[in-house]
Amino acid sequence: MATQRKSRPHSRSAPKKSGAQAGKKPAPSERPERPLREDLVLQACLEAYGSVRHEGRMADRALDFTLRRKANLYSNERRAVAERVYGLLRRQRTVDFLLSRAHPRFGGLETSRQDVLRLAASRVLYGEPHGLVARQSALTPPDAQALAALPEAAAALEALPAKERFPIAASLPDFLADRFLQTFGRDAARAAEAMNERAPLVARANLLKGDRDALAQRLTAEKVDVKPTPLSPLGLVLETRINAFSLESFRAGLLELQDEGSQLLGMLVDAPPTRVVDACAGAGGKTLQLAAQMKNRGDLHALDVDERRMEDLKKRARRAGVHNVRTQLIPHEGPEADAALTPLKGKADRVLVDAPCSGTGTFRRKPDARYRLTPEDLEMHVGRQKALLARFATLVKPGGRLIYGTCSVLREENEGVVEDFLARHPDFTVKPVAELLGPELGEKVGAGPYLRLAPHTHGTDGFFGAVLVRAK
C-alpha cells in the first residue's frame, strides 16, 4: 500500500541547561511535549470533522470553532487535531473506498463509528502502524481487523482500470479528476499526490523592516528553525511547529505568512513608486508585498468587495508599517462598480488582478474545497474572471501593465481567460515572465510566457500568472 510521509506531531526535547541557566524557565519551544491524550484528541477530531462533512462548515472555521471550545488541550494536541482532520479531508475518497473493501459492514455502521474508522484509516495511510492506531482509537476487534486489511484493499484499488482508479486514488470528484488529467497529462497522479501532502508554513520578509537574512537571524533567536525558500528571494520556510502569530517577529511586522508561489506572483508586478492598483486585494497579503516593492512611496490602491477583509488589510498594514495604501470598497458588479473605478481609469502603471477562482492550487491548505466545487461553480468562476480582467484593464495607462493571477491549476481559468482577453483587447500583448524574473528563475517557474506553479513541480501552492502590456 502506497503511503505518504508521516504526519505525526513534531516532538522536541529540551536541551540540557548550563549552571547559569538552571534557574530559568525554558522557552515554550524548548519544553518537551506532553504525551497526547488520545481520547481528548479523538473527540475533538470527531467534532471538527463532523462539522465539515456532515454540517457543511468550511474546515478552517470548523477547526477554529472546535479548538476554541477545547481550552484544555495542550498545544501539541491541538496540532494533532488539525493535522488529522486535514489529513482525512485530503484523503476522504480514498479512505472511504478502502474501508468499504476492508470492512464488510462499513456502509451500515453508525455515523460516529464510521468517522472514528475514517480518522484511524487516514493515520495509517500517512504511515502510522495500524496496531498502534487501533489501540489509541479504542477500536472494536472487527474495526481493528479492517485497519489490518487496508493493504489488501489498496491492492484492489491498484487493480482497477486507470480511468476508474485515478479519481479514487487522487481523492478528487470525477469532474476535477478529468480536469487534472487534461492539465497535467502523465503527471496527473504525481500532481494529485502532492496536493494531498501537508503544505509548508512559509513567511515573507517585510522589506520595509529588514531583509530575509535579518529575519532568519531574528527567528533563530526566537527558537524557530528556518530555511530559505528555493525560488522566492523573500521567503523563509518555518520548520519548527509553532503558532507563528504568537512570535514577536510577527507582532513587530517583520514577516507575513504567504506561500512562496504567492510571493512569486507578487514579484511579477514589479511595482514602481507611482500609481499601482491591487484590484482584488482581499486581506492584503500581496498588497503589503507591493507596498514594500514601492518602498512605501507612491499611491497603492487596494480594492475589494468585502468590507471585513478591507478592515483586516488596514490592521495588517499598520503592523507592517505600510503608509501608502488607499483602501476602497467597491460594488460587486454593474454600473455602480464601473462608476467607482472612474477616477482611476487610464492612470495606473500596474494593475494586479488576483482573481477569485476555484482554488484548485490550494487543495493542500483547503482540502475540503474540492468537495464543494461543482462544474457550474467552475463555469461561474471563468465568466467572472473574464469580466474582472476586462473591467480592471481600463485602469491601465498606455505603456502600463496588467498582471493576471489565480491560485488555480486549471487551464480554463488561466491561459483560457488570458487568450480570450487578448482576442478582445488587441492593444495588450504578453510580456514573458522570464523578462521580469530573470532567465534562470523564469525558466524554473514557466516553460512558456506565463508563471505556472504546482506543488509537485515547485513545492509551492498552484499559481498562474500572466503579464499583459498595454500599447503606448
Side-chain angles (χ1 to χ4, degrees), residues 17 31 41 65 70 76 93 107 145-146 155 197 213 247 306 359-360 362 369 377 403 417 428:
K17 301 175 186 176
R31 297 172 194 155
V41 171
F65 178 77
K70 303 288 184 181
N76 61 330
R93 191 170 182 185
Q145 289 170 11
E197 295 276 4
D213 290 342
L247 294 170
D306 189 317
T360 49
T362 62
D377 291 335
I403 300 88
V417 170
F428 281 85

Side-chain angles (χ1 to χ4, degrees), residues 404-472:
Y404 174 70
T406 73
C407 56
S408 171
V409 296
L410 304 183
R411 191 182 188 282
E412 59 211 276
E413 295 186 272
N414 297 329
E415 291 93 341
V417 170
V418 172
E419 289 164 6
D420 177 83
F421 174 83
L422 292 173
R424 300 169 187 271
H425 299 80
D427 54 331
F428 281 85
T429 55
V430 177
K431 186 178 184 68
V433 298
E435 294 182 15
L436 293 164
L437 301 178
E440 183 178 352
L441 179 55
E443 186 177 342
K444 292 178 181 177
V445 300
Y450 305 125
L451 176 79
R452 181 171 265 288
L453 305 169
H456 71 293
T457 50
H458 300 95
T460 69
D461 287 349
F463 276 95
F464 173 84
V467 180
L468 311 172
V469 181
R470 188 173 190 178
K472 292 184 178 180

Side-chain angles (χ1 to χ4, degrees), residues 162-163 166-167 176-189:
K163 188 171 180 60
F166 175 68
L176 275 180
D178 289 341
R179 296 302 203 289
F180 267 58
L181 288 167
Q182 293 167 13
T183 300
F184 297 112
R186 293 181 179 179
D187 271 353

Side-chain angles (χ1 to χ4, degrees), residues 229-343:
T229 46
L231 299 172
S232 168
L234 309 173
L236 291 170
V237 179
L238 277 56
E239 299 192 293
T240 301
R241 307 301 307 284
I242 194 167
N243 177 7
F245 300 117
S246 69
L247 294 170
E248 179 57 35
S249 296
F250 177 83
R251 291 196 292 265
L254 303 181
L255 64 87
E256 290 291 333
L257 297 182
Q258 184 180 359
D259 182 73
E260 185 179 16
S262 177
Q263 295 177 32
L264 291 166
L265 177 58
M267 288 170 60
L268 289 184
V269 181
D270 190 27
T274 51
R275 180 172 281 113
V276 175
V277 176
D278 187 355
C280 304
K286 294 186 190 67
T287 307
L288 303 182
Q289 183 180 352
L290 302 186
Q293 287 179 13
M294 299 169 71
K295 297 182 173 58
N296 243 347
R297 301 198 296 267
D299 293 323
L300 175 53
H301 298 264
L303 317 179
D304 204 84
V305 297
D306 189 317
E307 185 174 5
R308 179 182 56 82
R309 289 188 294 184
M310 286 276 93
E311 290 303 315
D312 288 343
L313 191 159
K314 292 175 184 177
K315 294 175 185 176
R316 295 174 71 180
R318 285 194 293 270
R319 187 181 66 245
V322 168
H323 308 302
N324 66 336
V325 173
R326 301 184 180 187
T327 59
Q328 182 181 350
L329 195 66
I330 60 174
H332 278 268
E333 56 189 12
E336 297 86 359
D338 293 333
L341 300 176
T342 298

Side-chain angles (χ1 to χ4, degrees), residues 1 3 6-9 36 38-39 41-42 45 84 88 95 99 114-141 143-148 150:
M1 177 173 58
T3 61
K6 297 180 182 179
S7 186
R8 283 173 280 186
L36 298 181
E38 290 290 346
D39 56 336
V41 171
L42 177 58
C45 285
R84 291 178 187 181
L88 173 53
V95 165
L99 286 174
Q114 285 184 340
D115 290 349
V116 170
L117 262 173
R118 287 181 172 117
L119 287 160
S122 174
R123 290 174 62 187
V124 173
L125 285 186
Y126 280 93
E128 297 189 56
H130 68 81
L132 174 66
V133 173
R135 288 194 301 275
Q136 291 179 342
S137 305
L139 297 186
T140 63
D143 292 354
Q145 289 170 11
L147 286 195
L150 287 177

